[in-house]
Amino acid sequence: TEEGTPKSSLNGKKRRGMHVVDKPEMPQTARDGQHDWQLQRQPLEDEWEGRQVGDNDLFKTQIEKCKLACKNQKLCLLFLLQLFVVDGVIAPSLNEALIDS
């Protein structure tokens, strides 16, 4: 950057993505990763629906909120965690304060 210019801006312009300008493989790697997670999501969602995990209102609400705000990687993790709860592999500790939010 120019002397005295904040790293976040250069002549008032945003520098978003500047860290990958000389690394064209980085955006492609990110796109490839998103595609891989997209391919993983559908089988997990099919299993989740087939096993009627969504009959649990809390789980259904969590998935609905995650679909609105999260990428496929986090959605896959949530599907897996909920399936593990149903299988008895893990047992969540429910905090009333979290349920009400």
Side-chain angles (χ1 to χ4, degrees), residues 8-21:
S8 61
S9 68
L10 186 61
N11 297 330
K13 296 179 183 177
K14 297 210 182 255
R15 294 177 41 93
R16 181 178 173 152
M18 294 300 292
H19 64 290
V20 297
V21 168

Side-chain angles (χ1 to χ4, degrees), residues 30-94:
R31 284 190 294 276
D32 291 346
Q34 279 301 309
H35 180 71
D36 289 344
W37 282 110
Q38 184 179 14
L39 295 176
Q40 295 295 319
R41 175 186 166 179
Q42 194 58 54
L44 282 171
E45 189 167 2
D46 291 345
E47 182 177 355
W48 185 87
E49 289 174 355
R51 293 175 58 192
Q52 300 174 335
V53 178
D55 289 350
N56 179 313
D57 289 337
L58 178 60
F59 286 177
K60 184 178 180 179
T61 300
Q62 288 175 342
I63 292 294
E64 288 170 353
K65 287 182 179 181
C66 192
K67 282 183 177 181
L68 293 174
C70 299
K71 292 185 178 182
N72 288 318
Q73 182 182 23
K74 290 184 176 71
L75 189 56
C76 287
L77 176 62
L78 184 56
F79 280 130
L80 283 171
L81 288 171
Q82 290 180 355
L83 287 166
F84 290 157
V85 169
V86 170
D87 289 344
V89 175
I90 58 174
S93 173
L94 297 177

